[in-house]
Amino acid sequence: MKTAILANIADIQTGPFGSQLHKEDYVDAGTPIVTVEHLGRRKLSNKNVPFVSESDAHRLSKYSLEQGDIVFSRVGSVDRCSQVSENEAGWLFSGRCLRVRPNDSMIDPDYLYYFLTLPKTQEFIRAIAVGATMPSINTSLLGEVDIDLPPLSEQVSIAKVLGALDDKIAANQRTIRDCESLSEALFRKTSATADITTLGKELELHYGKALPKKSRIPGKVTVVGSGGISGFHNEKLLDGPSIIVGRKGTIGTVHWISGPNYPIDTTFWVESKRLPLELLYFLLKSCDFASMNTDSAVPGLNRKNAYQVAVPWISEDSASEIGPLLKTLRARQEHARKENQVLARTRDELLPLLMSGRITVGEAEEAAGTAASES
């Protein structure tokens, strides 16, 4: 198989330095500029993307993005990268990033992205990074990466298999977000004209149980801390579904856990007095617990104070009407999440096998189809 170093098949460009672009140059609307926090799995995130003016965008046109470009983190998690889609063409990238732009007819841009996400490739990039406290890479270092180059038609086929899995994962993520948005809208509509009661009349908050990491025995039970999932154990406290609320540290966060779980002592777990959990989840999300910190050293949420929070009183008729709808939407979300777990695992297993030639594209397509049908 042919190989080439990255520098010979792609142009690698560092983003604008601080002297060229300052934070005070950002404006409310204009040309988006992506930085490290916008690098996701394959796709760039557009959440909280800053903008620069039209004149600055013209001045910095050297740092514009095109469809198929790959954007790397230049500092910190130096193996982190995303691919530019047609939606981000024309955006800029910041000085904390590197842009990789394929420039050779021997390389397919999608194949190159997936090759650069190979575990062995990412391990190599981390190894060549410089700096003990804050790893960093530059154009020369990244250009040293060796790229395997099977025939172009095979590259396209490999990328197509992996891309189909990522596309399905992205579609499921949109379903999850849409269901969440619709559920929130249903709750807001139901609660808009409701009378007011207190949270303590609707639920009980129970303390989670201490579970030091050294005491955890690996298993399939989700361990939940104030910031969300913090590991797995072989013993459960709750069967699920459960609502877990952050009590210490990241206070007031609200987590829905569908299966067996173990809420630790930085959390409360919720017991409903009359409302379905699916409705109570959005009721809790509407509460401003973050402003109720009672501790100076480590932020804390006092249970008695939480019970006094004013919330809408949802009548039995309204609860019986909206509850089944929220339950259906939650079921769709959970199905999409479980499917994504299977699809992501399949993609990650197929990636090195395809790139090394240990399985054919046809075998990978069959495995991908099996994963989609079984999830």
Side-chain angles (χ1 to χ4, degrees), residues 342-357:
V342 175
L343 294 171
R345 184 171 62 249
T346 301
R347 176 202 60 205
D348 293 343
E349 290 172 351
L350 290 177
L351 177 61
L353 296 175
L354 275 169
M355 294 297 183
S356 64

Side-chain angles (χ1 to χ4, degrees), residues 112-133:
L112 178 59
Y113 164 75
Y114 283 112
F115 193 91
L116 290 170
T117 63
L118 270 171
K120 70 172 186 179
T121 307
Q122 295 188 324
E123 182 180 353
F124 177 80
I125 294 172
R126 290 192 296 269
I128 62 174
V130 296
T133 56

Side-chain angles (χ1 to χ4, degrees), residues 10 23 32 63 103-104 112 119 127 130 216 219 228 301 305-306 356:
K23 280 192 174 181
Y63 308 103
N103 64 3
D104 195 295
L112 178 59
V130 296
R216 299 179 192 179
L301 177 63
N305 291 345
S356 64

Side-chain angles (χ1 to χ4, degrees), residues 201-318:
K201 293 181 179 180
E202 300 294 350
L203 56 78
E204 290 186 21
L205 296 172
H206 300 277
Y207 289 99
K209 185 178 179 181
L211 182 65
K213 289 187 177 181
K214 62 181 180 181
S215 302
R216 299 179 192 179
I217 302 174
K220 295 183 178 180
V221 174
T222 302
V223 178
V224 191
S226 61
I229 297 174
S230 63
F232 297 90
H233 189 44
N234 71 342
E235 177 186 349
K236 67 181 179 181
L237 283 184
L238 305 174
D239 286 320
S242 305
I243 301 173
I244 312 298
V245 179
R247 183 183 72 84
K248 277 285 187 180
T250 311
I251 65 171
T253 52
V254 183
H255 307 286
W256 177 278
I257 307 297
S258 58
N261 59 89
Y262 195 115
I264 61 174
D265 54 350
T266 60
T267 69
F268 293 119
W269 61 269
V270 176
E271 182 179 14
S272 177
K273 293 182 177 179
R274 66 181 187 91
L275 296 177
L277 281 179
E278 290 82 6
L279 179 53
L280 203 59
Y281 173 76
F282 289 98
L283 184 69
L284 283 162
K285 285 190 69 176
S286 70
C287 298
D288 182 19
F289 292 125
S291 64
M292 300 181 65
N293 176 35
T294 56
D295 298 333
S296 56
V298 179
L301 177 63
N302 181 280
R303 181 167 59 175
K304 290 183 179 180
N305 291 345
Y307 283 156
Q308 301 308 310
V309 172
V311 295
W313 185 86
I314 310 297
S315 69
E316 283 74 7
D317 288 343
S318 295

Side-chain angles (χ1 to χ4, degrees), residues 41 80 100-101 105 137 158 167 183 222 231 263 306 312 346 363:
R41 172 74 198 205
R80 186 176 171 187
V100 177
R101 175 172 293 168
S105 59
I137 55 174
I158 289 172
D167 288 343
S183 297
T222 302
T346 301
E363 290 170 333

